[in-house]
Amino acid sequence: MKKKTIEFSSHTGNLALMRSCVRDFLNGYPFSEKERLLMVLGVDEACTNIIRYAYRLRDDQLIALSMEGLRKCVRMRLRDYGEQVATA
């Protein structure tokens, strides 16, 4: 089982590095190119939402991404320490 964790600040300049780490992690798994692209896009969107809403565009806050390869899937978890956003 393959595992990797990265931590990075909430500066939007770090998103390209995060996307590259996710792409590298997905190498060796039998996903199509479209599936890989959609997974990278989904993690990028989630990180962008953390920066925008939980951290209110502050660029000095911590985001942690853990990636874990399981038997037939990949699990990705994001952790932030920002304010919880009220839901409607």
Side-chain angles (χ1 to χ4, degrees):
M1 204 163 42
K2 188 171 158 185
K3 289 184 180 184
K4 183 170 186 167
T5 300
I6 60 170
E7 294 182 336
F8 53 97
S9 73
S10 56
H11 191 286
T12 55
N14 291 326
L15 294 176
L17 177 61
M18 177 277 304
R19 290 189 301 267
S20 177
C21 287
V22 173
R23 276 188 217 102
D24 288 345
F25 183 82
L26 293 173
N27 285 337
Y29 289 98
F31 299 117
S32 70
E33 191 57 37
K34 181 178 180 180
E35 290 169 327
R36 290 172 196 271
L37 178 64
L38 290 173
M39 284 186 262
V40 171
L41 182 63
V43 176
D44 183 75
E45 179 69 18
C47 288
T48 301
N49 287 341
I50 288 170
I51 293 167
R52 183 176 293 146
Y53 300 111
Y55 290 148
R56 299 176 189 242
L57 302 177
R58 287 189 56 188
D59 63 3
D60 61 347
Q61 301 299 301
L62 182 66
I63 299 174
L65 169 61
S66 63
M67 299 174 281
E68 182 178 7
L70 304 172
R71 285 186 205 170
K72 296 184 179 184
C73 66
V74 173
R75 176 185 299 153
M76 298 192 190
R77 294 180 180 171
L78 284 165
R79 174 76 167 108
D80 71 77
Y81 303 90
E83 294 181 35
Q84 186 173 355
V85 178
T87 57

